[in-house]
């Protein structure tokens, strides 16, 4: 991966995706292995507006681009806050952040982008695992401001490893902390069984937690954000054609090539990042044809609608797709 499109790249629908060089103005240890960074514009300019659930792309170097949730106050456009868990066996992004991004360091940031929006509801259940607490923090504040009924179940390896517990203390008993070394694995039954029909469940964390919540929670009620792509079933691959309406081209996608790679090989600039179907950067409008969805971003309703797809991993159920590219 070469880091995607450059400054001012055009996203789906023709909108411009903002890219800026920001400076780290505060760095603190939020928990064992978790560093919290506050970013500002070097000239003090306001940063783009965002809503709870949004993330930004940190462009850390050639081939090193990672997504991190914003966990500050959306009303404060003077700064953004992110929190990064150091993953010893990761792909290098978190290690770079922990080693290189100290106060005064500059970093290129693209976004924000949001595929995990907080929808209006009377009741919410929030479930966080580890660093999955980050996108939920501004959601809690928004739910509180809206007067909604809500609760948070927050698990982690240990109390010391769980970030932002001090900030959560102000919510009292609506927040249940469940460190694994004290209480074992999260007990999902009491909070998910008998959940009111009008409640929405927002969950972020490691794959096994999300899988467990998905097994017990109706799809219509559940919203998740994944750090890693969900495990895919084996697929029978076939060649198909992609018509690019804005570019005026037709591209053949071989069985062993992604739509993203085929389009880029044809010389069409496309914004992308993870190439795993988790970040939503390459979301593209579908004008005709039936996508074979293989991402970890879209809801079941969005998949059924078939009017958008993640071209880094998803393919075609037939022989032809018409895309808004």
């Amino acid at each position: 991966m070469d880091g995607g499109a450059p400054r001012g790249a055009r996203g789906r629908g023709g909108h411009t995706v903002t890219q800026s060089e920001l400076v780290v103005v505060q760095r603190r240890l939020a928990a064992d292995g978790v560093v919290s960074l506050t970013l500002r514009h070097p000239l003090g300019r306001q940063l783009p507006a965002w809503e709870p659930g949004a993330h930004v792309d940190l462009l850390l170097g050639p081939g090193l681009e990672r997504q991190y949730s914003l966990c500050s106050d959306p009303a404060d456009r003077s700064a953004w806050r992110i929190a990064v868990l150091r993953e010893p066996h990761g792909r290098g992004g978190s290690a770079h952040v922990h080693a290189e991004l100290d106060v005064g360091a500059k970093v290129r940031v693209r976004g924000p982008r949001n595929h995990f929006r907080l929808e209006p509801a009377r009741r919410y259940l929030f479930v966080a695992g580890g660093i999955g607490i980050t996108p939920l923090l501004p959601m809690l504040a928004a739910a509180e401001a809206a007067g909604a009924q809500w609760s948070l179940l927050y698990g982690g390896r240990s109390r010391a490893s769980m970030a932002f517990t001090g900030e959560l203390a102000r919510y009292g008993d609506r927040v249940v902390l469940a460190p694994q070394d004290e209480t074992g694995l999260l007990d999902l039954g009491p909070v998910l069984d008998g959940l009111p029909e009008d409640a929405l469940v927002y969950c972020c964390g490691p794959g096994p937690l999300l899988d467990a919540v998905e097994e017990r929670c109706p799809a219509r009620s559940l919203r998740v954000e994944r750090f890693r792509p969900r495990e895919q079933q084996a697929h029978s691959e076939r060649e198909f054609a992609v018509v690019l309406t804005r570019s005026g081209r037709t591209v053949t996608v071989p069985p062993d090539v992604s739509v993203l790679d085929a389009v880029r090989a044809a010389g069409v600039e496309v914004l992308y990042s993870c190439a795993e179907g988790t970040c939503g950067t390459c979301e593209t409008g579908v004008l005709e044809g039936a996508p074979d969805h293989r991402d970890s971003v879209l809801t079941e309703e969005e998949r059924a609608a078939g009017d958008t797809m993640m071209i880094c991993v998803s393919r075609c159920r037939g022989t032809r797709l018409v895309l808004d590219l």
Side-chain angles (χ1 to χ4, degrees), residues 139-205:
M139 292 187 180
L140 303 183
E144 179 78 358
Q149 298 179 33
W150 65 268
S151 61
L152 167 69
L153 178 62
Y154 178 17
R157 289 180 292 103
S158 65
R159 199 171 292 267
S161 73
M162 297 167 66
F164 304 116
T165 54
E167 293 184 21
L168 293 170
R170 66 190 176 103
Y171 295 123
D173 60 6
R174 279 173 294 176
V175 173
V176 176
L177 302 181
Q180 185 175 344
D181 61 352
E182 298 177 23
T183 64
L185 294 175
L186 284 181
D187 187 2
L188 299 173
V191 295
L192 291 178
D193 294 345
L195 195 70
E197 288 190 3
D198 62 349
L200 291 183
V201 179
Y202 280 78
C203 182
C204 185

Side-chain angles (χ1 to χ4, degrees), residues 109-127:
V109 181
R110 187 173 60 216
R113 185 178 296 105
N114 199 340
H115 293 276
F116 194 43
R117 287 183 174 84
L118 184 68
E119 301 172 22
R122 293 178 58 193
R123 297 179 180 87
Y124 297 99
L125 169 63
F126 299 99
V127 182

Side-chain angles (χ1 to χ4, degrees), residues 238-243 249-255 257-259 261-263 265-266 315 319:
R238 63 170 67 89
E239 180 179 286
F240 58 94
V242 173
V243 179
R249 300 186 184 187
T250 297
V251 176
T252 298
V253 181
V257 176
S258 70
V259 176
D261 287 343
V263 168
R315 300 183 68 80
T319 60

Side-chain angles (χ1 to χ4, degrees), residues 27-147:
R27 171 181 168 132
R28 71 178 186 87
L29 192 65
D32 287 350
V34 179
V35 66
S36 169
L37 303 179
T38 300
L39 310 173
R40 293 185 188 269
H41 193 281
L43 299 180
R45 295 173 183 162
Q46 280 198 332
L47 300 178
W50 60 282
E51 297 177 350
H55 69 263
V56 292
D57 307 329
L58 263 58
L59 313 183
L60 302 170
L64 196 61
E65 180 177 323
R66 299 293 183 267
Q67 292 73 43
Y68 298 106
S69 297
L70 293 173
C71 58
S72 46
D73 180 1
D76 181 7
R77 294 182 58 187
S78 69
W80 286 340
R81 183 179 67 171
I82 61 171
V84 180
L85 169 68
R86 175 151 193 171
E87 301 182 75
H89 305 294
R91 297 171 297 164
S94 66
H96 180 98
V97 170
H98 278 248
E100 304 295 335
L101 295 190
D102 210 337
V103 173
K106 293 183 178 180
V107 59
R108 286 189 301 144
V109 181
R110 187 173 60 216
R113 185 178 296 105
N114 199 340
H115 293 276
F116 194 43
R117 287 183 174 84
L118 184 68
E119 301 172 22
R122 293 178 58 193
R123 297 179 180 87
Y124 297 99
L125 169 63
F126 299 99
V127 182
I131 197 62
I133 189 62
T134 51
L136 302 185
L137 283 178
M139 292 187 180
L140 303 183
E144 179 78 358

